[in-house]
Amino acid sequence: MKPKIILIDIDGVLVKPGGYRLAMQETCRYFLVKGGIERYSPDAEVYSLFESQCVTSEWDMIPLSLLIVLDTIASVESFPKHLSNLTDALDWVLSRSIPNIEIPYQEIILDFGKYIHPGITAAQGILDAKLNGQGDQLFVHLDNCHLIQSLLGDTRNLSSELIRKFQEYVLGGEIFSNFFGENPEHWCTSYLLEHDTSNLLPEHQKTLKRFLRLRNLYASVYTARPSLPPRELDENFKNFSPEAEIALKLCGLEELPLIGYGKLGYLASKTGRTIPEYIKPAPVQALAGIAAALTGNEWLGLQWAARTADGIFPDNQEFQLPKEFNLYILEDSAAGIQGGFSAIQLLNQKGWKVEFHPMGISKHLKKIKSLENIGAVIYQDVNTALSAIFEETRV
């Protein structure tokens, strides 16, 4: 019987991500208050629209949301060209009398997907298109590329005021102070701990664990959430945030191998690559998830995936990928499904025979459409998707 391997996303699949969504909205609101325009803060619908276009990181969603607001304001009140950073732009907006306007979040965000490519962040892809003259519809009213570049050019810089404010809400005071080595501006409880809820029913958790124990199924967690480095490494790490681990504890799945942002960041630091080159929709994260699910070893899986993506198929005595297997990916965004397709295409070209079962998890119409467009079968929640896999496994 061919092995069945499951890669399971966290946000929108295992977990209802109330913490991230609220932290993204609160971060945008915090900065828009400085311009007296907090009424234009994005809501949960805007968050889902971003995900439908493969913009899956809040670190990209926040600056893009702020630019959408500023660009719309610029359509009724011309921005001076010397405003080259967010603080100056918001100070200038505060000094003006801005009429009530409607922010066309949906119209603008639904145009973003065409600029998102593996290997770079969503923000960088959109910025590149704007600077190269390929994005004629991008921020057309902001005749100020310095302002756009200041917000989109380095969205993974932990010293960025946007990211640090977002992390204040996400982590809460205690974890933030441990992570950054300093106290946050405002002390609060972790939004992840306070607002996230598990989508996984207890009976499905038990059934999954039983199948894993019997080796009828193999599974790992496949997420863009910040995480700790590979759990096999015994080092004193700083600047790694256990956000993915917090979610797994909430779901009672702490023992599952986890391939998250911190794991990929550690791998990139050892290979001289960047995290966007490895994270979904690039194939390395899915390859690492496959290997980690089969071996239970995150670091082995990551190393094998990086070499495999580079065309080096190692004869590793610790791990031999079966030549035929079934791969199931449970995802709520197109990026994760695309990562699976990329991984399978690479393996099939080298002689593997992988049967791919992309399972889209969503009730949001725009996200469902984007998932269906790349071949995913839609399930309303993680429990119905797992039930389908369990039924096949029993047979």
Side-chain angles (χ1 to χ4, degrees):
M1 183 181 294
K2 293 187 292 186
K4 291 184 172 72
I5 302 170
I6 312 173
L7 306 186
I8 313 175
D9 187 26
I10 291 180
D11 293 295
V13 180
L14 282 175
V15 166
K16 183 178 180 181
Y20 275 131
R21 293 191 179 209
L22 187 57
M24 176 264 193
Q25 295 167 47
E26 286 297 308
T27 302
C28 290
R29 185 178 184 282
Y30 171 85
F31 288 99
L32 293 175
V33 163
K34 296 177 181 293
I37 48 173
E38 62 271 24
R39 60 190 181 277
Y40 299 134
S41 299
D43 58 16
E45 173 69 12
V46 170
Y47 190 102
S48 294
L49 286 169
F50 274 122
E51 289 192 321
S52 77
Q53 299 302 299
C54 292
V55 183
T56 58
S57 172
E58 293 80 9
W59 293 356
D60 294 326
M61 294 180 189
I62 291 165
L64 287 168
S65 295
L66 295 175
L67 278 173
I68 290 170
V69 173
L70 294 176
D71 183 62
T72 306
I73 290 173
S75 70
V76 297
E77 189 83 23
S78 296
F79 266 56
K81 291 185 178 182
H82 69 273
L83 300 176
S84 60
N85 60 67
L86 180 61
T87 297
D88 290 346
L90 291 173
D91 285 345
W92 181 84
V93 170
L94 185 62
S95 71
R96 315 298 294 177
S97 179
I98 305 299
N100 285 327
I101 51 178
E102 183 177 349
I103 308 298
Y105 279 114
Q106 177 169 311
E107 177 185 342
I108 295 172
I109 292 171
L110 291 181
D111 190 50
F112 284 162
K114 69 182 82 168
Y115 308 113
I116 312 302
H117 309 289
I120 57 174
T121 66
Q124 189 64 52
I126 291 168
L127 175 61
D128 288 347
K130 178 67 177 178
L131 296 179
N132 296 334
Q134 298 167 341
D136 293 339
Q137 301 304 311
L138 292 170
F139 312 121
V140 295
H141 305 292
L142 281 178
D143 187 20
N144 189 337
C145 283
H146 292 297
L147 175 60
I148 298 171
Q149 194 159 8
S150 72
L151 283 167
L152 301 184
D154 194 8
T155 58
R156 298 306 185 268
N157 184 349
L158 288 173
S159 65
S160 158
E161 61 176 344
L162 295 183
I163 292 180
R164 291 175 77 84
K165 178 54 63 177
F166 175 70
Q167 294 301 123
E168 280 187 26
Y169 294 121
V170 166
L171 298 175
E174 183 176 353
I175 301 175
F176 181 94
S177 62
N178 291 334
F179 181 49
F180 287 107
E182 62 183 65
N183 288 330
E185 181 182 1
H186 301 293
W187 198 275
C188 66
T189 58
S190 166
Y191 276 31
L192 297 185
L193 293 173
E194 191 172 358
H195 298 286
D196 280 3
T197 55
S198 173
N199 288 328
L200 186 63
L201 292 174
E203 56 266 34
H204 287 79
Q205 181 209 84
K206 290 179 182 178
T207 302
L208 177 60
K209 287 183 175 182
R210 178 166 60 84
F211 278 129
L212 294 173
R213 188 170 59 253
L214 296 172
R215 294 188 174 276
N216 297 123
L217 295 173
Y218 301 85
S220 66
V221 176
Y222 173 62
T223 179
R225 270 197 185 207
S227 70
L228 299 176
R231 61 190 179 189
E232 294 78 19
L233 304 179
D234 185 20
E235 301 179 37
N236 184 22
F237 293 106
K238 293 184 178 180
N239 293 331
F240 285 88
S241 178
E243 295 164 42
E245 287 82 0
I246 289 172
L248 290 196
K249 185 173 183 180
L250 178 66
C251 298
L253 296 176
E254 302 99 310
E255 70 274 19
L256 283 188
L258 166 67
I259 305 298
Y261 191 89
K263 324 279 183 177
L264 296 166
Y266 183 83
L267 176 65
S269 74
K270 297 301 181 183
T271 60
R273 300 296 185 86
T274 64
I275 299 174
E277 291 178 83
Y278 285 159
I279 204 164
K280 51 188 174 182
V284 169
Q285 188 173 13
L287 291 170
I290 292 167
L294 286 166
T295 64
N297 189 308
E298 295 171 354
W299 184 223
L300 176 64
L302 287 159
Q303 293 176 92
W304 179 86
R307 290 194 295 267
T308 300
D310 286 340
I312 304 168
F313 294 88
D315 183 15
N316 191 321
Q317 296 302 313
E318 295 182 75
F319 171 59
Q320 289 290 325
L321 181 66
K323 281 297 182 180
E324 296 186 28
F325 61 91
N326 287 280
L327 177 64
Y328 301 81
I329 293 186
L330 280 60
E331 263 282 2
D332 77 324
S333 73
I337 302 295
Q338 288 174 344
F341 273 119
S342 298
I344 298 311
Q345 184 179 32
L346 188 154
L347 291 173
N348 286 344
Q349 287 172 350
K350 296 299 180 179
W352 275 271
K353 294 181 180 179
V354 184
E355 189 174 330
F356 188 32
H357 306 270
M359 307 177 87
I361 313 296
S362 186
K363 297 178 183 177
H364 185 274
L365 292 179
K366 291 290 190 302
K367 291 175 73 172
I368 287 173
K369 183 177 180 181
S370 68
L371 287 163
E372 288 178 332
N373 285 343
I374 58 170
V377 177
I378 304 302
Y379 295 83
Q380 286 204 334
D381 57 45
V382 65
N383 300 295
T384 54
L386 285 174
S387 291
I389 299 172
F390 295 158
E391 199 60 37
E392 290 179 10
T393 305
R394 288 191 181 96
V395 174

